[in-house]
Amino acid sequence: MSKFSSHLKHLIESSGETISSVARDIGAERTSINKALTDERVLPYRVVQALAGHFRLTLEEREEFFQDYEMMLQGEDAWRNRQAICDLLNHLADVQLTPNLPSVQLPPPTQKATLIEGEYAVRGTIRSILAWETGQGEDVTLRMFLPAGLGLSQELLELWMERTQFHVEELFCTPVVTGADCAQDIQLLGRIIPLCLVSRGAYAPYYFRERPGTLEINPLNYYIITPHYLIHLSREQSTAEIHTQEPLIRLFSDHFQRLLERCDLLTTCTSSILDVLRHYTEVTSPDNSFFLLSQPCFGRYVTPAYIQKYLRTDGSVPLDALSDMGNERFSMLRKVDKDYYTVFSEEGLQSFIDTGVLIEMPPEYVAPMEPADRLSFLTQLRREMEAGVVVGLIVRPSYLRLPDYLELYFDAERNIHFDTTNRFPYGAYCCDIRVSEEYLCRAFWGFFQTLSGSKMVYPREDALRLLDEGISKLKNLSGQNVTNTK
């Protein structure tokens, strides 16, 4: 029995009503509700809404009731994955990409082991050691095997944002994936992605699979290795033991290196603009293309004429090479004839209408578009959304927020890519992160497939209305009379 059917049964029994009276009051068939109680039939959404109103559920009770309904529709594993992806995107939208790390003066290393107790003291000691070590010079390497709750993401982000040059190799113990549930691995991406971006490839996350509880033998089983320190940690992060003996640090460094040789990288990174364009083309398939970006993905409307008109170069990359890769990229998008999803925000749409800046493009290579060309792109998008050729979804910011410094695109089987946009401190195309785990690709594919019609996006008619408003505004900007755009 599903959670929804159990929930519905409880509501009916608690009310003291019969199934017949409930069905009569909400205008539904008694047999439909009977079969829903045994999971033989799925109730339409309007009936579930009527049931929530009939039982006078509070806002909190309604949220739980509809959550159980969505979980039944999607399956519990798929629902958890979807929520994890939503949480991931909201987390990435909240990441602060500004340095705020005070200067730290740490005494020189001593030969005496030190025991630190208390979470605050442990965290402060680790923070101090990291700041001191990374300030000693370039090419410093930090090696980490940490408990899940001790993410040092903010400390590392701040150090890299200050343009400190160092490398991090981190080893993760992830649970064995059973069924389709990969919510924990999706949550892990929220910790990894910002570090990959800001470090521009200097952060390498490795992972291995293990059963829960396997690492509980040693109370200080986790550790951080720096050039001058070895920090042992408890799972609760309440105790740390600091060592400075060079032979011990070298022993753990060698052991860590052997472990990495047996593990896999969870992500790979590149900062070459030509490689970024090449990856984009490789992922694009005539069968499906999924794009998540604060602006709509207009790539399928970019013709060679537009490329010639707006493409420029600062001399670091040959113009011919950029033009060829751009033509190849956008010609692939024009061939997609089904499952073309573009998920964007109302704010990003308005930014494009007002400025003509394509935020996924490096401004040193692509100039802002003129109002007449913005109008052409928006009109084509509106037409294809209404015809069902393109699934254009505008997110509701109260449920789902998009990080404006990232573009996400993927296929359903091979790769997920996270690319930087102009809103990233170092600019668009400065880093491309690729995740190649098939089960994660399938989870993201399922997320996109269930967005349409969900509470996370505006209804289709509202999305079309917002496009119509933008089209009218651009017609005025480009000196045209406002006419029917449909």
Side-chain angles (χ1 to χ4, degrees), residues 221-242:
N221 197 67
Y222 300 91
Y223 53 88
I224 299 172
I225 308 167
T226 75
H228 300 94
Y229 291 90
L230 170 65
I231 309 171
H232 281 290
L233 292 162
S234 65
R235 173 179 286 276
E236 297 78 17
Q237 308 126 54
S238 59
T239 306
E241 190 175 59
I242 315 297

Side-chain angles (χ1 to χ4, degrees), residues 273-311:
I273 183 171
L274 294 180
D275 284 343
V276 172
L277 288 170
R278 191 175 296 110
H279 291 164
Y280 193 107
T281 303
E282 289 171 355
V283 169
T284 304
S285 160
D287 295 328
N288 57 67
S289 288
F290 302 87
F291 304 94
L292 188 147
L293 175 71
S294 60
Q295 286 184 350
C297 180
F298 294 113
R300 65 191 283 111
Y301 312 125
V302 177
T303 64
Y306 281 118
I307 294 175
Q308 184 177 8
K309 181 176 182 179
Y310 290 107
L311 190 66

Side-chain angles (χ1 to χ4, degrees), residues 149-189:
L150 183 61
L152 295 175
S153 300
Q154 193 58 40
E155 286 84 350
L156 296 174
L157 280 175
E158 290 168 350
L159 288 168
W160 270 312
M161 289 296 293
E162 289 185 344
R163 301 300 178 97
T164 305
Q165 298 298 311
F166 63 97
H167 297 267
V168 173
E169 296 171 337
E170 186 162 7
L171 184 60
F172 293 94
C173 176
T174 60
V176 176
V177 177
T178 58
D181 184 4
C182 55
Q184 289 190 47
D185 284 3
I186 294 169
Q187 292 169 2
L188 182 60
L189 287 177

